[in-house]
Amino acid sequence: MAYYVYLLASRRDGPLYLGVTNDLIRRIYEHRTKAVRGFTSKYNITRVVWFEIYDDPISAISREKELKKWKREDPID
Protein backbone atom coordinates (compact mmCIF):
# COMPACT_ATOMS: atom_id res chain seq x y z
CA MET A 1 0.00 0.00 0.00
CA ALA A 2 1.21 3.49 -0.82
CA TYR A 3 1.16 6.47 1.54
CA TYR A 4 1.23 10.06 0.38
CA VAL A 5 2.50 13.32 1.84
CA TYR A 6 0.73 16.14 0.02
CA LEU A 7 0.60 19.92 -0.05
CA LEU A 8 -2.50 21.95 -0.88
CA ALA A 9 -2.85 25.68 -1.50
CA SER A 10 -5.72 28.08 -1.97
CA ARG A 11 -3.90 30.56 -4.19
CA ARG A 12 -0.44 32.03 -4.75
CA ASP A 13 1.02 33.21 -1.41
CA GLY A 14 -2.15 31.98 0.31
CA PRO A 15 -2.54 29.48 3.14
CA LEU A 16 -1.04 26.00 2.76
CA TYR A 17 -2.09 22.61 4.10
CA LEU A 18 0.27 19.65 4.50
CA GLY A 19 -1.18 16.20 5.10
CA VAL A 20 -0.66 12.42 4.94
CA THR A 21 -3.06 9.84 3.51
CA ASN A 22 -3.18 6.34 2.09
CA ASP A 23 -5.74 7.32 -0.60
CA LEU A 24 -4.75 10.57 -2.26
CA ILE A 25 -7.65 10.77 -4.72
CA ARG A 26 -10.28 10.24 -1.99
CA ARG A 27 -8.61 12.74 0.33
CA ILE A 28 -8.36 15.45 -2.33
CA TYR A 29 -12.03 14.86 -3.16
CA GLU A 30 -12.88 15.35 0.53
CA HIS A 31 -10.97 18.64 0.58
CA ARG A 32 -12.60 19.90 -2.62
CA THR A 33 -16.15 19.01 -1.56
CA LYS A 34 -15.52 20.31 1.97
CA ALA A 35 -16.71 16.96 3.34
CA VAL A 36 -14.89 17.59 6.63
CA ARG A 37 -15.16 20.94 8.40
CA GLY A 38 -11.81 22.36 9.32
CA PHE A 39 -8.86 24.41 8.16
CA THR A 40 -9.06 23.53 4.45
CA SER A 41 -12.79 24.15 4.18
CA LYS A 42 -12.55 27.41 6.13
CA TYR A 43 -9.83 28.82 3.86
CA ASN A 44 -10.96 27.10 0.63
CA ILE A 45 -7.69 25.19 0.22
CA THR A 46 -8.23 22.78 -2.68
CA ARG A 47 -5.30 22.94 -5.14
CA VAL A 48 -2.76 20.13 -5.08
CA VAL A 49 0.66 21.68 -5.54
CA TRP A 50 2.93 18.77 -4.58
CA PHE A 51 3.00 15.18 -3.29
CA GLU A 52 5.44 12.37 -2.51
CA ILE A 53 4.80 8.61 -2.33
CA TYR A 54 6.07 6.30 0.43
CA ASP A 55 5.86 2.55 1.02
CA ASP A 56 5.08 2.71 4.72
CA PRO A 57 3.17 5.07 7.02
CA ILE A 58 6.12 5.67 9.37
CA SER A 59 8.21 7.16 6.54
CA ALA A 60 5.31 9.31 5.32
CA ILE A 61 4.55 10.68 8.79
CA SER A 62 8.24 11.34 9.45
CA ARG A 63 8.51 13.29 6.20
CA GLU A 64 5.37 15.30 7.02
CA LYS A 65 6.80 16.25 10.42
CA GLU A 66 10.11 17.21 8.80
CA LEU A 67 8.33 19.46 6.29
CA LYS A 68 6.12 21.07 8.93
CA LYS A 69 9.28 22.43 10.59
CA TRP A 70 10.12 24.40 7.42
CA LYS A 71 9.23 28.06 7.23
CA ARG A 72 7.99 29.87 4.16
CA GLU A 73 10.58 32.39 3.01
CA ASP A 74 9.65 35.95 2.13
CA PRO A 75 10.12 36.74 -1.56
CA ILE A 76 13.16 38.83 -2.48
CA ASP A 77 12.28 42.07 -4.25
Side-chain angles (χ1 to χ4, degrees):
M1 176 178 281
Y3 296 88
Y4 304 87
V5 177
Y6 64 97
L7 184 66
L8 302 177
S10 62
R11 63 186 185 285
R12 183 180 171 97
D13 296 325
L16 300 172
Y17 177 82
L18 182 65
V20 175
T21 186
N22 64 350
D23 187 345
L24 187 60
I25 293 171
R26 174 193 50 82
R27 191 66 180 116
I28 299 307
Y29 175 79
E30 291 172 352
H31 287 297
R32 288 186 176 166
T33 61
K34 297 174 179 46
V36 179
R37 293 182 58 192
F39 184 80
T40 58
S41 62
K42 180 179 179 180
Y43 294 100
N44 196 33
I45 301 172
T46 58
R47 294 182 188 173
V48 179
V49 294
W50 169 88
F51 70 92
E52 290 180 353
I53 305 170
Y54 293 89
D55 293 328
D56 64 281
I58 306 288
S59 297
I61 293 167
S62 296
R63 178 66 169 154
E64 178 197 27
K65 289 180 179 182
E66 177 184 348
L67 292 172
K68 283 189 174 183
K69 291 179 184 175
W70 290 9
K71 301 294 180 203
R72 186 188 299 197
E73 293 183 20
D74 291 329
I76 300 172
D77 293 325

